[in-house]
Amino acid sequence: MPASPGVYRMLDRRGDALYVGKARSLKSRVQNYAHPAGLSNRLRRMIAETAAMDIVVTHTEAEALLLECNLIKRLMPRYNVLLRDDKSFPFIHLTAGHEFPQLTKYRGARTKEGSYFGPFASAGSVNRTLVTLQKAFLLRSCSDSVFATRARPCLLYQIKRCSAPCVGHISRDDYAALIEQAHTFLSGRSDDVQQRLAAEMEEAANTLDFEAAALVRDRIRALSLVQGHQDIHVAGVVDADIIAAHQDGGQTCVQVFFFRGGQNWGNRAYFPSHDRQLSVEEVLTSFVGQFYDNRAKPPLVLLSHRLVEQGLVEEALSLGGPRVGLAVPQRGDKKRLIDRIVATAREALGRRLAESASQRQLLDGVAAAFGIDRPLHRVEVYDNSHIQGTNAVGAMIVAGPEGLVKNAYRKFTIRGAAPSRAGAVPTRSCPHPNPPPLAGEGIAANPFSDPLPPAEQGIVPNSSSDPPPQAGEGGVGAARPERGATGGDDYAMMREVLMRRFARAVKEDPERDRGTWPDLILIDGGQGQLNIGCGVLEELGIADVAIVGIAKGPDRNAGREHFFVPGRTPFSLDPRDPVLYFLQRLRDEAHRFAIATHRAKRTKALGRSPLDEIDGVGARRKQALLHHFGSARAVARAGLGDLERVSGISKTVAKKIYDHFHPDG
């Protein structure tokens, strides 16, 4: 083991990272782990689970710190402090390279030419600021393609939020003056801009041009509105981030405020995941390193607590760029600002702890309602969405003691046939207190029939014209043939989604120690969907995961839901029961996520052409075919000779196109 700086990774026996750390001397640090008597219980558990260790040697300790932060964000080790919310922040982008530059919102790598102002804490704050800036400076927000094709002013000109440079209502020099004013204001010199506008308004009024004076007056009001939103302002804080933390109940809230050009562009709260024994200084140190791993750094960061090895963190943040200063104010206006932000973090953490307690009570209520004798830590809800079998998708949402776990949501593109194990024995349906008669016992056989009316079961076709599968057509209790989940077959879709989800779980996490196994499965549907779920779990040998179907009541009215639990008669909860409201929210969230996924897929499909599916037909050949025939439908109806007459289409390619649309010859 070298005595040089570097990063080490502790791995379990599957090769997954348990912990990532950095050290000035790798040899000394690793030797410390060889004497567990003086270590905390958390570190003892980590060492007991460690089966191997990887190291990376670096030139300096600062480089090791940067690499450590990068690996923590990428590998998400269980024993590190984890910053789970890694969403990028939006900026205001003042474009360049055009005679009439554009003012727009921008998110992502700042590679485009122009000036960037931000970051803003949320999309809402940047949108509000953009609207006000449009009123103040009348700059265009349309894309270059729209700008080039305009023949008359758009609605923004009519409501006095654009100067209509697209149709020549403002000269290039006057528009450049507006750009210069906007740049000055966004750079923090707002007083200069307001003084110049006030002089323009007075000059217009003196010349009796009251209409122009009123327009300038409205622009000044808009600027005042922007400044009015900057409710926290401290002299001397120009370009800086303020990071303050509060710890209570084994959890930490970190508040980040963004100041640019002396203006407050909003704040965001973070709740990093960490061991309850870590101090607020240790949590804040890890947070700062991960937060600035791939973000632009301001010249000054004000902190509520001194970091562990603050000088090293400061050196690491300054590598490859301008110097970044870290400071912990002790007195004056900056100290009062820090105290105010710590109070904000304290209030946010209090709300989160209260919500967590309420969420825990609701989960306990769900367990009691369904007869589950263990605490629920992870609930998965499944739903499908399609239109007559087209663009079919499945969706899974996850809820836990902290609320919805959105980074655990999953989308499933329905592939067709539901996978099954070779030679699997056909499974029985979930136990039902009043099983329907079998085929030949007096009614038409349907393995999904139920003593409740269909509307009460919630078995309503999802924009589908196909009936549920009948006996011998793949229902649970009969072997399902390997056929596509088409024509709106909700049962086949649900089977495919559940099979893919849990077959992968069995393969990747057989010991269930990664926290990815659910304690409860909720399926949007009645007895039929429940039978499908029970069949999948039985086929995979999973017997200890609770599964419940939730179906809308008569007339699909919310509040009259029926719940289907294996071995119990379908039942309803009291319409005013908080547990019912909670289950409705989970079901509706799964429904929303499934529909949004389906719509996105459908929208993407609208821009596709059947010609894209043909090998050997690229953009040029597709363009030639469309120019010759006018549409993809006409290409599909064309004969082989017609295709061969298209410029750029050889006989071989023409035959390939013809065979694609006429597979039967």
Side-chain angles (χ1 to χ4, degrees):
M1 185 70 64
S4 55
V7 173
Y8 59 93
R9 284 181 291 169
M10 291 185 168
L11 310 175
D12 62 16
R13 50 193 175 81
R14 289 192 305 267
D16 296 333
L18 293 171
Y19 182 78
V20 175
K22 61 89 186 164
R24 181 181 303 172
S25 170
L26 288 170
K27 182 177 181 179
S28 299
R29 177 61 57 85
V30 173
Q31 283 179 345
N32 290 338
Y33 291 118
H35 305 284
L39 301 178
S40 65
N41 291 333
R42 163 179 162 269
L43 295 181
R44 290 178 185 175
R45 290 196 308 269
M46 180 181 72
I47 293 172
E49 296 178 33
T50 301
M53 181 178 290
D54 287 344
I55 65 168
V56 177
V57 177
T58 60
H59 292 92
T60 65
E61 192 178 3
E63 291 180 0
L65 177 60
L66 291 180
L67 178 59
E68 176 197 29
C69 295
N70 181 273
L71 289 175
I72 290 173
K73 292 180 68 174
R74 183 161 56 88
L75 301 177
M76 306 293 283
R78 186 152 46 98
Y79 287 94
N80 282 100
V81 177
L82 300 180
L83 174 59
R84 297 186 181 277
D85 186 358
D86 195 27
K87 188 177 182 181
S88 62
F89 294 104
F91 285 76
I92 287 179
H93 184 207
L94 194 58
T95 61
H98 194 283
E99 58 183 358
F100 294 103
Q102 170 194 19
L103 187 71
T104 184
K105 178 176 68 175
Y106 186 84
R107 192 193 295 268
R110 293 184 289 172
T111 56
K112 294 185 178 180
E113 189 178 0
S115 301
Y116 295 87
F117 303 94
F120 288 78
S122 65
S125 62
V126 74
N127 288 336
R128 288 191 298 270
T129 303
L130 273 176
V131 169
T132 309
L133 292 176
Q134 289 169 359
K135 295 177 181 177
F137 300 110
L138 308 178
L139 302 179
R140 74 179 181 94
S141 58
C142 58
S143 63
D144 291 346
S145 58
V146 172
F147 178 87
T149 57
R150 291 296 303 182
R152 59 180 181 177
C154 66
L155 182 62
L156 290 179
Y157 173 77
Q158 307 295 337
I159 61 176
K160 295 182 173 56
R161 282 172 49 184
C162 182
S163 54
C166 53
V167 292
H169 283 201
I170 185 173
S171 67
R172 186 181 307 174
D173 293 339
D174 290 342
Y175 192 85
L178 294 178
I179 289 290
E180 191 272 333
Q181 291 177 7
H183 194 284
T184 301
F185 178 82
L186 290 169
S187 299
R189 301 192 299 274
S190 56
D191 292 340
D192 296 345
V193 176
Q194 286 187 310
Q195 290 174 5
R196 288 160 58 182
L197 289 178
E200 288 183 24
M201 181 178 65
E202 186 175 350
E203 181 181 354
N206 291 335
T207 59
L208 305 182
D209 190 353
F210 299 114
E211 186 175 344
L215 181 60
V216 178
R217 178 204 62 198
D218 293 341
R219 294 175 59 194
I220 294 175
R221 286 179 178 174
L223 291 181
S224 300
L225 183 61
V226 173
Q227 292 175 317
H229 286 162
Q230 319 304 324
D231 55 346
I232 298 179
H233 179 77
V234 174
V237 179
V238 182
D239 291 329
D241 289 347
I242 292 87
I243 302 178
H246 178 74
Q247 193 173 76
D248 191 14
Q251 298 188 39
T252 305
C253 174
V254 181
Q255 285 277 355
V256 183
F257 278 70
F258 305 99
F259 284 80
R260 297 296 183 270
Q263 299 178 2
N264 171 27
W265 292 130
N267 66 293
R268 182 177 293 182
Y270 293 88
F271 300 90
S273 173
H274 62 85
D275 188 89
R276 301 172 68 92
Q277 299 177 355
L278 293 180
S279 67
V280 65
E281 291 81 7
E282 292 174 301
V283 174
L284 199 57
T285 300
S286 185
F287 174 87
V288 169
Q290 295 180 52
F291 184 77
Y292 290 113
D293 178 54
N294 59 353
R295 292 189 175 99
K297 308 169 188 66
L300 176 64
V301 178
L302 300 181
L303 302 165
S304 61
H305 299 77
R306 183 169 182 82
L307 304 183
V308 180
E309 299 179 315
Q310 182 164 308
L312 176 63
V313 176
E314 192 173 76
E315 179 187 350
L317 294 180
S318 303
L319 288 177
R323 183 181 180 278
V324 177
L326 303 179
V328 182
Q330 301 298 322
R331 63 182 66 86
D333 291 340
K334 293 180 181 178
K335 172 60 175 172
R336 285 189 286 273
L337 174 62
I338 288 290
D339 291 342
R340 182 173 177 181
I341 296 176
V342 169
T344 303
R346 183 185 303 112
E347 294 171 0
L349 182 58
R351 290 193 300 270
R352 183 177 179 88
L353 291 174
E355 292 169 358
S356 297
S358 175
Q359 187 83 359
R360 181 72 267 168
Q361 290 178 353
L362 290 171
L363 289 173
D364 291 342
V366 170
F370 297 146
I372 303 172
D373 58 0
R374 61 181 182 275
L376 299 180
H377 299 287
R378 181 182 172 105
V379 178
E380 294 183 358
V381 190
Y382 292 86
D383 193 13
N384 297 326
S385 183
H386 60 93
I387 295 179
Q388 294 184 336
T390 62
N391 299 312
V393 296
M396 178 192 85
I397 71 157
V398 179
E402 304 299 328
L404 296 173
V405 188
K406 296 199 173 183
N407 60 359
Y409 285 19
R410 293 294 180 267
K411 308 170 185 176
F412 298 85
T413 297
I414 303 299
R415 298 170 180 167
S420 60
R421 297 184 302 174
V425 179
T427 59
R428 295 289 299 170
S429 64
C430 285
H432 195 283
N434 298 300
L438 299 176
E441 293 186 2
I443 64 169
N446 183 348
F448 304 112
S449 60
D450 194 279
L452 291 174
E456 296 189 24
Q457 295 180 42
I459 305 177
V460 179
N462 184 9
S463 303
S464 170
S465 59
D466 288 1
Q470 301 297 317
E473 293 185 1
V476 176
R480 179 178 295 277
E482 292 297 323
R483 61 185 179 87
T486 58
D489 189 344
D490 283 331
Y491 297 138
M493 294 178 189
M494 184 60 68
R495 174 180 168 81
E496 177 180 334
V497 169
L498 294 174
M499 181 64 76
R500 286 165 56 185
R501 161 69 177 102
F502 288 100
R504 181 171 181 177
V506 169
K507 178 182 178 182
E508 296 184 353
D509 188 17
E511 298 183 7
R512 309 189 186 185
D513 55 0
R514 298 186 183 180
T516 59
W517 278 80
D519 302 299
L520 171 64
I521 301 170
L522 280 178
I523 297 179
D524 185 14
Q527 186 67 40
Q529 280 82 357
L530 179 65
N531 289 346
I532 290 292
C534 290
V536 170
L537 296 182
E538 185 177 344
E539 185 173 339
L540 295 173
I542 302 171
D544 56 350
V545 176
I547 182 168
V548 175
I550 174 173
K552 291 187 175 69
D555 301 322
R556 301 177 68 82
N557 288 337
R560 304 176 66 185
E561 283 81 1
H562 287 287
F563 296 94
F564 296 80
V565 180
R568 293 175 59 180
T569 302
F571 63 94
S572 299
L573 297 175
D574 188 293
R576 292 169 293 182
D577 192 337
V579 172
L580 176 60
Y581 295 147
F582 177 61
L583 293 169
Q584 287 173 344
R585 291 200 303 272
L586 294 183
R587 188 266 318 278
D588 293 343
E589 172 67 6
H591 196 54
R592 178 204 64 79
F593 187 55
I595 289 178
T597 304
H598 165 74
R599 286 175 176 169
K601 186 177 181 182
R602 190 177 68 204
T603 301
K604 184 177 180 180
L606 290 175
R608 296 184 59 188
S609 168
L611 301 178
D612 295 331
E613 303 173 3
I614 308 175
D615 293 335
V617 177
R620 289 188 178 182
R621 285 173 172 167
K622 183 171 71 172
Q623 185 178 32
L625 289 166
L626 294 176
H627 283 172
H628 185 90
F629 293 103
S631 68
R633 182 175 297 179
V635 175
R637 292 197 300 259
L640 183 60
D642 297 329
L643 293 170
E644 292 175 351
R645 284 193 286 271
V646 178
S647 175
I649 303 297
S650 65
K651 291 185 177 181
T652 303
V653 175
K655 184 67 167 60
K656 186 181 296 185
I657 297 171
Y658 183 83
D659 291 343
H660 176 80
F661 291 112
H662 304 84
D664 298 331

